[in-house]
Amino acid sequence: MKDVARLAGVSLGTVSHALNKPEKVSERSLAKVRAAVEQLGFVPNSAARSLAAGASRTVGLVLTDIDNSLFVDIARGAEDQARRAAHALLLANSDIDFNRQESYLDIFDEARVAGILFAPMNASLEGVDRVRRHGRRVVLVNLAQGRKDCCAVISDEELGGYMAARHLIELGRRRLLFAGGPEEFYAIKERRNGALRAVLEAGDVTLEIINCRRLKSDEGRKIAAEIANRSPERIPDGILSPSDRIAAGVIHELMARSFSVPDDIAVIGYDNNQFTTEAAISMSTVSQDGHRMGSEAMRLLLDEIENPDHQHRTLTLEPRLILRESTLGPRGKPLPDTDGRAPAPA
Amino acid sequence: MKDVARLAGVSLGTVSHALNKPEKVSERSLAKVRAAVEQLGFVPNSAARSLAAGASRTVGLVLTDIDNSLFVDIARGAEDQARRAAHALLLANSDIDFNRQESYLDIFDEARVAGILFAPMNASLEGVDRVRRHGRRVVLVNLAQGRKDCCAVISDEELGGYMAARHLIELGRRRLLFAGGPEEFYAIKERRNGALRAVLEAGDVTLEIINCRRLKSDEGRKIAAEIANRSPERIPDGILSPSDRIAAGVIHELMARSFSVPDDIAVIGYDNNQFTTEAAISMSTVSQDGHRMGSEAMRLLLDEIENPDHQHRTLTLEPRLILRESTLGPRGKPLPDTDGRAPAPA
DNA sequence: GGACGAAGCTGAAGCGCTTCAAAATCTTCC
DNA sequence: GGAAGATTTTGAAGCGCTTCAGCTTCGTCC
């Protein structure tokens, strides 16, 4: 930067101003500085910058599970919002590993980022407390555990479960099955509670609950296989799962065993993951709009950064039903792509 | 840090040493410093640290497409390797947007990261030249464009195409179809060339090529639909695609139209994406082992950082056939629970 | 007992930037 | 023409750390 100043024939302070608040610098100096920067290929050192300024323009996002496209959507939403505010977003993937999650929080803490978006798994939030004690700003995404002392963006999991079950009931299904994951996960328990509420409300509907240990499609296949062997009156006519992955396993196994989805059994998943549209039939699901979660979370964080009388708040987003073939049948098929042309042999 | 020094009753320099090279400090001082750090909740400022030291322990990874699980695997591999060397890995997702890709390179450049892993798709490498001119170290992943002036880890795309076609031919298939994406993508062109080589080598096999504009499952469905309407002798008995996504569309549409996969038509994809195991039948594919690519790339980068007489080299990994139901039939069904990743709920 | 080297410790210089008070320059208006 | 005010520019102080030369302390050996 010294070199830039020398080449431009101005002082160091002027270069700094030209770079950061161009409006406070005369046209002439600005032009000279810009030319010098160009000529020298000068790149500001962000370490020095944030050291001197005491603030960085980078926001960190710690994600639990980059395999779940919900988190990817959250990242995208956050990124879009960050870019508008001229902040950069850096991602750290903890891969469902608690220690890594904590260590990334520390890395962002040490980097003195402007703030942290934290999309944790079902874990303790001790890391959050630690970095917040250092004055780091943190917004929770997807899991709030009822905290009121920082901002959060969550999705109404109970309502999502309710909506899914309600949808099946409205389709006339009466023997529902909830193919759930381990109940230690807060979100899963809530979704099940919501489903239960819809069922109780309806009166003449039953809800069977099968818990599986992991959220993998294998587990869905196992459940479907077991169902297929039942006597007809014990076969459910509607299945809901708190995980698209399990739902995909269920659907594919049912189809392999000559059940018709949704005619014999309607199936609905949860999360609107990428592969809901890549499955044999497009899957109905409950969408949490990760993009919106990410962008709202970033908005809250930016407010906390910029607004001195910021108030912490928790934003609860309503999930949305996405209805496709696995409950509606062919009429639920997404509209064909209109921009594609007919393939031609080469 | 000054406070830590005061509380511990030692000098600033000693605190720094205690933190960075504990072996050069006496037990007594070390203990005192540790206690003080603990008591004060001191967190080193990495901006100041990298400013003073002139080097950071962070590596940046710029990814093109976080939706493609290959890149996610690359990130994982890189992370594992980085952690072993006590470096942190920060991700930036450019979402196939050239400007964003460039701007993330600049951000890492400004942050004076120890090095950058760059996994571009098909873009020009001008940003790479720019940051390398500033002395930033860059390792290319997944695309090298024949550059010899920096390290790279790539996969032999031509060989992958060859292997896929060869596999179909060995299964006895004679009328092959290559359902490809836009040929502007280097990787896709190479894969097609490989397939062509296998076909020419075999002699009595034909290869039809259908190009689609985008790498989406819709396109695969369209191709399958068109095929289904053909007269029997024009229907291929083996389909290979440079994208799992397209292959998934093909498989599902064929099944919907009562073709048997693989009996009537065997299908093989490319990339071993996540959903190859979530499809109606598990898909055969060509795997590039993203994890290995990421970890080898990080290894090369670390060597470049630490080893003064580092030699640039390009590592070409051989792809690997993953054979599953879509070409082998039920005997290709994967063993349950073999991939061991435990996803979390959203 | 004294010389010597190793081990540990200290404090100051400096990394590249921002910012602020003060100085320099330009405008305006009577 | 000149004073008051507005706009620019300047240079130095300092952000929190690492590092290095030099200092102190201690153990060893003849």
Side-chain angles (χ1 to χ4, degrees):
Chain A
M1 190 157 127
K2 226 168 18 185
D3 301 336
V4 173
R6 191 173 328 119
L7 182 62
V10 298
S11 79
L12 245 134
T14 304
V15 174
S16 174
H17 281 138
L19 260 31
N20 299 310
K21 7 194 106 161
E23 72 283 2
K24 314 217 83 182
V25 166
S26 72
E27 291 286 336
R28 240 162 36 84
S29 310
L30 226 177
K32 283 192 298 185
V33 170
R34 291 226 168 109
V37 165
E38 187 67 28
Q39 188 177 332
L40 264 43
F42 168 78
V43 177
N45 180 326
S46 61
R49 171 176 286 183
S50 50
L51 179 57
S56 107
R57 294 191 76 75
T58 298
V59 171
L61 166 57
V62 179
L63 300 170
T64 304
D65 181 10
I66 207 174
D67 271 339
N68 186 325
S69 52
L70 171 65
F71 289 101
V72 173
D73 289 340
I74 290 174
R76 288 219 179 83
E79 224 253 21
D80 289 350
Q81 197 64 35
R83 209 142 22 96
R84 249 176 260 171
H87 282 252
L89 181 71
L90 258 23
L91 270 45
N93 171 35
S94 71
D95 250 349
I96 327 186
D97 173 334
F98 182 69
N99 292 326
R100 248 196 276 180
Q101 178 172 296
E102 298 289 290
S103 102
Y104 275 119
L105 283 174
D106 289 340
I107 285 170
F108 284 137
D109 192 17
E110 290 175 14
R112 304 296 192 266
V113 293
I116 299 176
L117 257 41
F118 188 45
M121 57 172 170
N122 204 27
S124 97
L125 296 181
E126 76 185 55
V128 171
D129 290 328
R130 175 160 27 86
V131 302
R132 292 192 68 229
R133 239 177 283 125
H134 303 151
R136 202 83 17 233
R137 297 167 186 107
V138 178
V139 173
L140 264 27
V141 189
N142 198 42
L143 187 72
Q145 300 194 327
R147 290 177 72 117
K148 290 281 170 230
D149 59 337
C150 59
C151 283
V153 177
I154 55 175
S155 168
D156 190 337
E157 309 284 0
E158 200 269 351
L159 179 60
Y162 175 85
M163 288 164 69
R166 184 88 211 123
H167 169 60
L168 293 175
I169 292 168
E170 278 168 1
L171 286 174
R173 309 301 164 134
R174 287 297 172 267
R175 294 187 309 285
L176 302 190
L177 168 63
F178 182 89
E183 299 224 343
E184 300 93 82
F185 289 116
Y186 168 83
I188 290 177
K189 202 169 57 194
E190 286 295 299
R191 292 170 198 177
R192 193 213 48 196
N193 289 344
L196 205 52
R197 177 161 65 91
V199 165
L200 293 175
E201 204 176 280
D204 61 337
V205 176
T206 60
L207 180 70
E208 175 185 355
I209 293 173
I210 298 188
N211 281 330
C212 38
R213 288 213 323 266
R214 300 172 315 134
L215 296 167
K216 302 229 9 174
S217 62
D218 283 354
E219 302 273 338
R221 285 189 181 266
K222 270 185 234 156
I223 290 173
E226 186 266 321
I227 287 169
N229 288 327
R230 293 181 178 185
S231 56
E233 74 283 3
R234 291 192 53 243
I235 294 181
D237 54 7
I239 298 183
L240 65 159
S241 172
S243 147
D244 280 334
R245 220 176 258 264
I246 291 177
V250 167
I251 290 173
H252 289 142
E253 189 68 25
L254 286 176
M255 289 173 74
R257 289 168 184 265
S258 305
F259 281 83
S260 158
V261 177
D263 293 343
D264 298 331
I265 306 181
V267 182
I268 182 167
Y270 208 111
D271 272 355
N272 196 23
N273 277 168
Q274 204 185 95
F275 53 80
T276 49
T277 52
E278 312 283 351
I281 59 173
S282 62
M283 295 165 52
S284 295
T285 190
V286 179
S287 161
Q288 312 195 48
D289 197 350
H291 193 281
R292 171 122 187 266
M293 290 175 77
S295 80
E296 294 289 355
M298 184 60 82
R299 204 192 302 270
L300 287 172
L301 183 57
L302 291 172
D303 184 71
E304 188 167 345
I305 292 169
E306 284 152 13
N307 180 359
D309 34 57
H310 165 87
Q311 296 282 337
H312 290 312
R313 54 187 172 275
T314 294
L315 196 63
T316 304
L317 301 182
E318 296 203 349
R320 199 160 46 91
L321 274 183
I322 309 248
L323 301 180
R324 303 201 186 98
E325 292 175 89
S326 72
T327 61
L328 296 186
R331 74 189 162 97
K333 188 174 284 204
L335 294 175
D337 222 16
T338 44
D339 68 325
R341 59 163 176 216
Chain B
M1 190 157 127
K2 228 171 12 187
D3 301 337
V4 173
R6 195 177 319 122
L7 182 61
V10 298
S11 79
L12 238 110
T14 303
V15 175
S16 174
H17 280 137
L19 261 30
N20 299 310
K21 5 194 110 164
E23 73 282 2
K24 314 217 82 178
V25 166
S26 72
E27 290 287 333
R28 241 162 38 83
S29 309
L30 227 179
K32 284 192 297 185
V33 170
R34 291 230 169 107
V37 164
E38 187 65 28
Q39 187 177 332
L40 265 45
F42 168 78
V43 177
N45 179 327
S46 60
R49 169 175 288 183
S50 50
L51 179 57
S56 106
R57 293 191 77 75
T58 298
V59 171
L61 167 56
V62 180
L63 304 168
T64 304
D65 181 10
I66 206 175
D67 272 338
N68 185 327
S69 53
L70 171 66
F71 290 99
V72 173
D73 289 339
I74 290 174
R76 287 218 180 82
E79 223 252 20
D80 289 350
Q81 198 63 36
R83 209 142 23 96
R84 251 177 260 170
H87 282 252
L89 181 71
L90 259 21
L91 271 45
N93 170 35
S94 71
D95 251 349
I96 324 188
D97 173 334
F98 181 71
N99 292 326
R100 249 196 274 179
Q101 178 171 296
E102 297 291 289
S103 101
Y104 274 117
L105 282 175
D106 289 340
I107 285 169
F108 285 136
D109 192 18
E110 290 175 15
R112 303 294 191 267
V113 292
I116 299 177
L117 257 39
F118 188 47
M121 204 150 191
N122 200 42
S124 100
L125 296 181
E126 76 185 54
V128 171
D129 290 327
R130 175 159 27 86
V131 303
R132 292 193 70 230
R133 239 177 283 125
H134 304 151
R136 201 84 16 237
R137 297 168 186 106
V138 179
V139 172
L140 265 27
V141 189
N142 197 41
L143 187 70
Q145 301 194 328
R147 290 177 72 116
K148 289 281 169 230
D149 59 336
C150 59
C151 282
V153 176
I154 55 176
S155 170
D156 190 337
E157 309 283 2
E158 200 268 352
L159 179 59
Y162 175 84
M163 289 163 70
R166 184 88 210 123
H167 169 59
L168 293 175
I169 292 168
E170 279 168 1
L171 286 174
R173 310 301 164 135
R174 288 295 172 267
R175 294 188 308 284
L176 302 191
L177 169 63
F178 182 89
E183 300 223 344
E184 300 92 83
F185 289 114
Y186 166 82
I188 289 176
K189 203 170 57 194
E190 286 295 298
R191 292 171 197 177
R192 194 213 47 198
N193 289 343
L196 206 51
R197 176 160 65 91
V199 165
L200 293 175
E201 205 176 280
D204 60 339
V205 177
T206 61
L207 180 70
E208 173 185 355
I209 292 173
I210 297 186
N211 281 330
C212 36
R213 287 218 320 263
R214 299 171 315 137
L215 296 169
K216 306 247 336 187
S217 62
D218 284 354
E219 302 274 337
R221 285 190 180 266
K222 269 185 235 154
I223 290 172
E226 186 266 324
I227 287 169
N229 289 327
R230 294 181 178 184
S231 56
E233 76 282 3
R234 292 193 52 243
I235 294 179
D237 56 7
I239 299 182
L240 63 160
S241 171
S243 147
D244 280 333
R245 222 177 257 266
I246 291 177
V250 167
I251 290 173
H252 289 141
E253 189 68 24
L254 287 176
M255 289 173 74
R257 289 167 185 266
S258 305
F259 282 83
S260 159
V261 177
D263 293 344
D264 300 331
I265 307 182
V267 182
I268 182 167
Y270 208 111
D271 272 356
N272 196 24
N273 277 167
Q274 205 184 94
F275 53 80
T276 50
T277 52
E278 312 283 352
I281 59 174
S282 61
M283 295 165 52
S284 294
T285 190
V286 178
S287 162
Q288 310 195 47
D289 198 349
H291 193 281
R292 170 122 187 267
M293 291 174 76
S295 80
E296 294 290 354
M298 183 60 82
R299 203 191 303 268
L300 287 172
L301 183 57
L302 291 172
D303 184 70
E304 188 168 345
I305 293 169
E306 283 154 13
N307 180 358
D309 34 58
H310 165 87
Q311 297 282 337
H312 290 313
R313 55 186 170 274
T314 294
L315 196 63
T316 304
L317 300 183
E318 295 203 349
R320 199 161 46 91
L321 273 182
I322 309 249
L323 302 180
R324 302 201 186 97
E325 292 176 89
S326 71
T327 61
L328 296 186
R331 73 188 163 98
K333 192 174 281 201
L335 298 173
D337 287 358
T338 41
D339 92 75
R341 256 186 229 146

